[in-house]
Amino acid sequence: MDDDKKNALPSHIALPLTAIIIGILQLIYFGTSGRLLTANIISGTLSAITPISIIAGAILLNRTLSVSGCEDVIKQWLEGISKNQIGQLMIIGWAFAFMIEGASGFGTPAAIAAPILVGLGFNPLRVAMLALVMNSVPVSFGAVGTPTWFGFGNLGLSDTELLHVGSLSAIMHTVAAIVIPVIALKFIVSWQQIRRNIIFIQLSIWSCTLPYVWLAQWNYEFPALIGGAIGLTLSILFARYNVGLEKRISQKKIQRILYRLDVYLKRWHQPYC
């Protein structure tokens, strides 16, 4: 099995070779005219350019964030907003990835969000699992709705029918979103942490999915992008003001309380003159 993988042709050789073989079969075996074959080649090339251009943009965005140092800036900024693990995971792994899926799609959310979370100290493998599971909600409207308008485009559906497909898809994803992020969080944190922060989790979920499902009733290109942007903004505000997050006393505050308690006890036990 391993030997077969080592001897496999790379895709940049295998795919053109396959296309040539199919072209020869169409000419010789099926008797396709040269004009029709040429038209099919041009049509196929133009169709392939759409996903290729989107993937190229996603790769460019990923590399730009990495080379420019934006990933490090995002890490520092996120730590300043909240040190709560659930807060960080929901902001980057859910809301930020939700928005990036709407803009680029094709695996970009996992490629961008995962390194940021790993930089914050989370386990790389578990982060990859979380990012991929979280990404299952906005995926139907990824890359400005490409799976909907491009995926169903060859079926001859009207614009109204595509909108109806997008609307139903958004409703189903929204229902699933009630539990999917919770399941994804379990890869990294305990059920106890999830229960203690469940209000923030649900607030972050609905901040993305409510605009998402509402927009899907009118448009099948921007639900994930705009819904994610709104959800990211609200999730950041909720985390900054500690809404729904477990309240923890900082180490410095604990030390100040113990110091004051110690001073009080010493004064209380001090004999009166």
Side-chain angles (χ1 to χ4, degrees):
M1 189 72 175
D2 292 336
D3 292 336
D4 292 339
K5 289 183 179 179
K6 290 178 181 178
N7 297 326
L9 285 174
S11 59
H12 68 275
I13 296 175
L15 293 178
L17 185 61
T18 303
I20 292 170
I21 293 172
I22 291 173
I24 293 171
L25 285 172
Q26 283 191 333
L27 283 172
I28 298 174
Y29 185 78
F30 293 101
T32 306
S33 65
R35 181 179 296 179
L36 180 59
L37 181 60
T38 303
N40 287 336
I41 291 171
I42 294 172
S43 176
T45 302
L46 293 175
S47 296
I49 285 174
T50 300
I52 289 173
S53 61
I54 296 171
I55 293 170
I59 294 171
L60 177 62
L61 175 62
N62 185 26
R63 293 302 302 153
T64 301
L65 287 174
S66 179
V67 173
S68 64
C70 285
E71 287 183 356
D72 295 329
V73 174
I74 293 173
K75 292 172 195 171
Q76 295 173 4
W77 163 78
L78 184 61
E79 286 181 333
I81 291 174
S82 176
K83 293 187 180 298
N84 185 293
Q85 286 187 326
I86 298 287
Q88 294 174 346
L89 290 169
M90 290 301 295
I91 289 172
I92 297 298
W94 167 251
F96 178 69
F98 202 106
M99 181 183 69
I100 295 298
E101 174 64 25
S104 301
F106 295 98
T108 312
I112 294 176
I116 296 172
L117 292 173
V118 170
L120 290 169
F122 294 104
N123 180 280
L125 179 59
R126 293 178 180 274
V127 161
M129 294 164 63
L130 173 134
L132 292 172
V133 172
M134 291 275 203
N135 195 47
S136 62
V137 175
V139 70
S140 292
F141 300 94
V144 288
T146 301
T148 301
W149 61 262
F150 184 76
F152 290 98
N154 293 326
L155 298 179
L157 300 179
S158 66
D159 195 64
T160 303
E161 289 171 324
L162 284 175
L163 188 61
H164 184 62
V165 170
S167 173
L168 292 177
S169 176
I171 291 170
M172 288 187 289
H173 283 308
T174 299
V175 173
I178 298 172
V179 295
I180 284 177
V182 176
I183 294 171
L185 287 170
K186 183 60 182 66
F187 293 137
I188 297 179
V189 298
S190 65
W191 283 119
Q192 288 75 16
Q193 284 179 279
I194 292 172
R195 284 199 298 269
R196 288 195 294 263
N197 297 277
I198 192 64
I199 295 176
F200 174 82
I201 294 169
Q202 290 301 320
L203 285 173
S204 182
I205 290 171
W206 291 107
S207 296
C208 291
T209 54
L210 286 180
Y212 165 83
V213 74
W214 181 77
L215 284 164
Q217 311 309 309
W218 315 98
N219 181 275
Y220 50 75
E221 294 178 331
F222 300 109
L225 177 59
I226 297 177
I230 294 171
L232 176 62
T233 303
L234 292 175
S235 296
I236 290 170
L237 290 173
F238 292 144
R240 180 174 289 278
Y241 293 103
N242 217 35
V243 179
L245 287 173
E246 178 186 11
K247 292 179 174 61
R248 288 187 175 184
I249 302 175
S250 66
Q251 191 68 26
K252 289 183 178 179
K253 194 169 183 179
I254 293 174
Q255 290 175 351
R256 287 199 299 269
I257 292 172
L258 291 175
Y259 174 76
R260 289 175 183 175
L261 181 62
D262 183 61
V263 171
Y264 173 78
L265 289 174
K266 285 181 179 179
R267 287 180 179 177
W268 189 68
H269 287 290
Q270 188 176 6
Y272 291 100
C273 298

